[in-house]
Amino acid sequence: MSFNTIYVMLMWVRMAPPLPLIFFLLMIHGVSSDDWGVSYSPSHICALKDSTVIMRCTYTYPTGYKIEKVFWTETLKGDESLDLSEDPEYSQRLQYLGDKQQNCTVRLSHVTLKDSHMYYFRIITDKPDGKYTGKPGVTLTVTDLQVESPERVTEGDSVNLRCKSSCALTDRATFIWYRNSQPLTERRDRNNELLLQSVRREDSGRYSCAVDGHTHISPAVQLNVMYPPVKPVISISPSGVIVEGDSVTLNCISDSNPPAEISWIKGGTIVGSGRIYNISKISSNDSGEYKCKSINEHGEKYSDAVTLNVMCELMIVYTLFKNFKFIIV
Ligand SMILES: *[C@@H]1O[C@H](CO)[C@@H](O)[C@H](O)[C@H]1NC(C)=O
Ligand SMILES: *[C@@H]1O[C@H](CO)[C@@H](O)[C@H](O)[C@H]1NC(C)=O
Ligand SMILES: *[C@@H]1O[C@H](CO)[C@@H](O)[C@H](O)[C@H]1NC(C)=O
């Protein structure tokens, strides 16, 4: 117990002075450079992975002592405390910016999630009892970034993506968003959120986020925008005249998310399902109007009808003959 503290206590017991005077004396005691002290400002730091952190620190020690060594450590083992600048995990990344007087500021670069813990400043003087560690130390929390997003959304929904960190970054942090690795410029976010007011199918993609001026970038997260089928279109192969016995394939092409179920309709009845409708060995009774229907949980659409006109060999001969006549005339 220092002289100042005893003095304050004596004052209290003997004279019971007004409170403000006690506080005044206590304050004098607090800033006295006759005492050991380390103060960290701020005492909690939230830092982004890969960034550079400056731990600001000042210290005092009693007059009459001579500083022999000052260093930063992550252990509270007294004489066995390890100097971080001699720790291979830190030595390349740690730079002492302070002095041997009062400033113990240190810089740590390329921080990793493993760096998250408390750091202490230790003072060693020439006297055997002249050793001191500033406790509690400064707490460093290193965070990465994670995109928080709904997995499935439907076109027209209002969608909010959040760029999450495990501790609160400074208010000055400006968030940047990427879709498929391209920076998004057209929309403005608020704080760490990206607002897609009426989400469109083109907004589907892999989203990631970062903080302006920092290299760390979050893992990408898939945003999947659902929408009803687009009106389907039928393609026929082979194209051209279809003759009895041919193999004919009808293909129903329709964009949708999730993929639609396709069914085939001929003259009001369902004749098949699946994107491809094969008719092997087509016969004249396969002639007629075909449509396909595309349906998913967000809606359904019908194609326009296509007409299959299956000719028998005789008809072909007849048609050729007609054309031949026409050419002659
Ligand atoms: C301590 O040193 C750092 C780095 O040189 C400097 O930025 C800071 O202002 C100093 N602090 C005090 C209290 O002198
Ligand atoms: C349809 O026919 C084509 C060509 O003959 C064939 O490659 C394809 O596998 C068939 N598809 C189905 C679904 O039967
Ligand atoms: C279509 O014709 C084939 C023979 O070419 C016959 O086997 C089949 O039953 C006919 N189908 C209908 C619906 O008339």
Side-chain angles (χ1 to χ4, degrees):
M1 200 177 289
S2 77
F3 172 75
N4 276 345
T5 315
I6 295 166
Y7 180 63
V8 167
M9 287 176 72
L10 282 176
M11 292 275 286
W12 174 260
V13 173
R14 297 173 95 210
M15 293 156 70
L19 276 174
L21 179 56
I22 292 185
F23 282 134
F24 178 68
L25 290 168
L26 283 170
M27 274 173 62
I28 288 179
H29 172 72
V31 297
S32 160
S33 66
D34 278 353
D35 213 347
W36 297 99
V38 177
S39 82
Y40 308 97
S41 152
S43 56
H44 288 78
I45 298 174
C46 172
L48 202 55
K49 191 179 162 189
D50 296 336
S51 67
T52 295
V53 172
I54 291 185
M55 300 189 236
R56 293 190 189 282
C57 164
T58 55
Y59 66 102
T60 57
Y61 57 97
T63 43
Y65 288 72
K66 199 167 151 284
I67 298 285
E68 287 205 324
K69 183 175 162 71
V70 290
F71 61 93
W72 283 80
T73 182
E74 56 171 28
T75 50
L76 279 178
K77 287 190 182 151
D79 281 347
E80 290 166 42
S81 296
L82 183 68
D83 180 351
L84 283 184
S85 66
E86 287 163 13
D87 180 340
E89 287 266 318
Y90 290 93
S91 55
Q92 299 295 311
R93 302 186 290 131
L94 198 73
Q95 191 179 6
Y96 188 64
L97 304 176
D99 51 35
K100 286 197 166 181
Q101 297 296 315
Q102 53 154 355
N103 192 337
C104 42
T105 300
V106 74
R107 179 168 65 197
L108 181 62
S109 51
H110 302 291
V111 293
T112 67
L113 299 184
K114 268 169 60 193
D115 293 338
S116 297
H117 50 76
M118 202 175 262
Y119 293 83
Y120 311 92
F121 181 66
R122 183 156 169 84
I123 308 162
I124 310 245
T125 65
D126 55 344
K127 301 209 165 74
D129 67 330
K131 295 174 183 172
Y132 185 81
T133 301
K135 296 177 281 190
V138 50
T139 306
L140 174 64
T141 309
V142 179
T143 179
D144 56 4
L145 298 172
Q146 300 286 342
V147 172
E148 197 178 63
S149 138
E151 216 170 283
R152 286 161 70 109
V153 297
T154 304
E155 207 167 42
D157 284 356
S158 179
V159 177
N160 234 354
L161 304 185
R162 264 179 15 115
C163 189
K164 270 185 56 180
S165 53
S166 67
C167 56
L169 295 163
T170 74
D171 298 338
R172 280 171 294 132
T174 306
F175 288 84
I176 306 170
W177 287 89
Y178 299 88
R179 180 175 59 232
N180 302 328
S181 305
Q182 298 299 310
L184 291 182
T185 50
E186 72 266 32
R187 285 191 203 81
R188 218 37 258 158
D189 49 303
R190 52 180 157 95
N191 298 332
N192 61 338
E193 294 187 353
L194 175 68
L195 190 61
L196 304 174
Q197 225 131 30
S198 177
V199 76
R200 297 166 301 160
R201 62 195 69 177
E202 300 82 43
D203 293 325
S204 285
R206 297 176 61 70
Y207 284 81
S208 49
C209 64
V211 171
D212 196 16
H214 292 268
T215 50
H216 172 65
I217 184 162
S218 77
V221 163
Q222 178 71 35
L223 180 72
N224 199 356
V225 181
M226 306 290 159
Y227 52 94
V230 176
K231 181 176 176 172
V233 173
I234 297 176
S235 77
I236 306 170
S237 87
S239 55
V241 175
I242 298 165
V243 181
E244 264 187 335
D246 280 357
S247 213
V248 175
T249 297
L250 303 185
N251 194 352
C252 179
I253 299 151
S254 166
D255 182 29
S256 70
N257 193 8
E261 282 186 20
I262 307 286
S263 47
W264 291 91
I265 296 141
K266 183 193 177 203
T269 52
I270 293 177
V271 293
S273 64
R275 197 170 59 81
I276 305 269
Y277 182 57
N278 270 346
I279 311 169
S280 54
K281 287 203 170 169
I282 201 163
S283 71
S284 59
N285 61 14
D286 290 318
S287 291
E289 286 202 333
Y290 290 80
K291 278 185 187 177
C292 69
K293 181 174 95 166
S294 175
I295 181 168
N296 72 7
E297 64 223 57
H298 302 289
E300 64 175 52
K301 287 273 167 55
Y302 287 85
S303 71
D304 287 333
V306 297
T307 304
L308 282 193
N309 204 353
V310 183
M311 296 194 174
C312 61
E313 312 263 352
L314 260 177
M315 282 167 78
I316 304 244
V317 172
Y318 172 70
T319 314
L320 282 175
F321 178 67
K322 244 184 26 182
N323 288 348
F324 184 64
K325 241 175 57 182
F326 179 75
I327 292 166
I328 287 175
V329 169

